[in-house]
Amino acid sequence: MIRFYTMIVALLVGAVTASADPLAERFGALPSIDFVQISPEGEQLAFVQSSEDGVNVIVYNLVDMTPSARIPVTDLKVRQVRWASEDRIILNVSNTSGYSRWTRGRFEYSAAYVIDLERESIRQLVIGTEGVWANQPGLGNVVGVHREGGLAYMPVRMRIPNRSEPAVTLLEVSLTHGRGRVAEYGRIDTIDFVVNSEGEALARENYDNDSNRYQLQVPGVNSTWRTVLEETSSRIPYALIGIMPDDQTLVVWANPESTRPAGLYTLNPDTDELEPVDRETEGRVTESFILDKNRHVIAYTFEGV
């Protein structure tokens, strides 16, 4: 698969180079390709192409090896591209450029957009949803997509009935009209959710800036939440990375502020115990995970590979 992926990218770069303006080529100003993603059925490729003409999302048909769509996104700082379904693509955009792999706020996503290939349209998500708290940052964090590809799940600070302060709520957002409805209520201090392909919340993170209390929770009985990891720290001590294919075992990164050595851990909710990820497999050192669109671990990556 990696060799096939590399071959496709090489073909794309070759095609871009061949069609580049000779003057631009002379001065080394060739178009660049970023965020290459293959579609769920493996028949299309989406990527962001930057050139002198601007920035565009290009969709490439792998069956006949021809471009099938070109969507201008010059005014957006695209940070992530993902396929929701064979005819919908989600873009995460940001106003920041900082990046740190396993720490909180890898990007402060400022908005999320959906490209509808059938309608040849692009629409911002959450806009028009009733109850969204005004002037909040990070209104573009997509934590999951429904298995049928028509819904996205996004933590958004909302006005909650009978509460004096807004709470971070998991919205189920339509990829057709862009508006959302409440899927799961969070708390004032909730910072993240993990969901399955049906949109059910499997875990949530809370961090109270006043008490410095961090909590990782899973669903309990009678619509309650049970704490499986708790620690007090002046900075967020852990980052919830994702979940294993069993939909139970959580994957977290311990930051230097935690009481454990920094690194990757798995957490079994049945025992509430953190176990360090075995970083060496057949002589190779595990560097990170590859996640699917609902943050399920589907593969490991190794250092030097």
Side-chain angles (χ1 to χ4, degrees):
M1 176 60 73
I2 293 176
R3 289 180 179 177
F4 171 77
Y5 203 74
T6 303
M7 179 186 71
I8 293 297
V9 174
L11 288 173
L12 291 173
V13 172
V16 168
T17 301
S19 62
D21 179 78
L23 182 62
E25 184 175 357
R26 185 183 307 168
F27 289 95
L30 295 178
S32 64
I33 292 176
D34 295 299
F35 308 113
V36 180
Q37 293 292 320
I38 196 165
S39 68
E41 295 182 10
E43 295 184 352
Q44 301 182 89
L45 210 63
F47 55 91
V48 176
Q49 178 179 297
S50 303
S51 69
E52 290 186 338
D53 295 330
V55 182
N56 297 278
V57 173
I58 306 295
V59 178
Y60 207 82
N61 189 317
L62 296 178
V63 177
D64 55 19
M65 298 301 289
T66 60
S68 58
R70 177 179 180 271
I71 302 94
V73 292
T74 300
D75 295 333
L76 305 177
K77 293 183 179 179
V78 178
R79 300 301 188 190
Q80 187 179 51
V81 174
R82 74 178 88 178
W83 289 88
S85 64
E86 204 66 21
D87 57 3
R88 290 190 178 99
I89 300 169
I90 295 175
L91 305 180
N92 292 103
V93 305
S94 173
N95 292 326
T96 66
S97 58
Y99 177 80
S100 182
R101 175 170 290 158
W102 295 121
T103 56
R104 175 62 47 204
R106 279 158 281 188
F107 281 115
E108 186 68 15
Y109 292 128
S110 59
Y113 291 78
V114 59
I115 295 173
D116 190 317
L117 297 177
E118 287 189 351
R119 300 185 181 190
E120 298 182 350
S121 64
I122 182 169
R123 180 186 298 275
Q124 186 172 350
L125 299 179
V126 181
I127 297 299
T129 301
E130 185 177 353
V132 173
W133 191 256
N135 301 320
Q136 61 179 295
L139 196 61
N141 184 21
V142 178
V143 298
V145 177
H146 193 274
R147 61 181 175 80
E148 295 181 355
L151 300 167
Y153 298 91
M154 303 176 64
V156 175
R157 194 168 293 278
M158 303 278 292
R159 294 188 297 271
I160 306 300
N162 303 318
R163 294 190 189 181
S164 59
E165 297 185 65
V168 175
T169 302
L170 184 67
L171 287 186
E172 181 181 80
V173 181
S174 167
L175 297 183
T176 300
H177 53 65
R179 296 184 297 278
R181 66 179 185 87
V182 174
E184 182 75 42
Y185 285 109
R187 307 190 327 194
I188 295 173
D189 60 353
T190 298
I191 55 177
D192 198 8
F193 285 94
V194 166
V195 302
N196 63 15
S197 60
E198 298 293 332
E200 300 168 331
L202 302 178
R204 75 179 184 188
E205 278 185 300
N206 309 314
Y207 182 73
D208 189 319
N209 284 301
D210 295 327
S211 65
N212 293 333
R213 184 181 64 175
Y214 171 89
Q215 290 179 321
L216 180 55
Q217 299 180 314
V218 297
V221 297
N222 299 324
S223 300
T224 62
W225 287 85
R226 181 172 65 87
T227 300
V228 294
L229 177 62
E230 185 168 6
E231 201 165 295
T232 300
S233 173
S234 60
R235 299 183 65 183
I236 299 175
Y238 298 94
L240 176 58
I241 303 304
I243 195 164
M244 300 299 283
D246 62 6
D247 270 353
Q248 289 186 324
T249 306
L250 303 173
V251 180
V252 301
W253 175 265
N255 292 320
E257 293 79 15
S258 73
T259 58
R260 293 171 172 83
L264 286 166
Y265 291 81
T266 57
L267 191 153
N268 184 342
D270 292 334
T271 62
D272 297 357
E273 293 183 359
L274 280 177
E275 294 289 341
V277 171
D278 186 0
R279 297 203 66 207
E280 188 167 334
T281 303
E282 297 180 355
R284 295 176 296 179
V285 177
T286 302
E287 182 180 40
S288 63
F289 296 113
I290 297 175
L291 308 177
D292 69 6
K293 58 188 176 184
N294 288 319
R295 293 163 69 183
H296 287 82
V297 175
I298 56 176
Y300 296 88
T301 63
F302 300 97
E303 291 182 356
V305 177

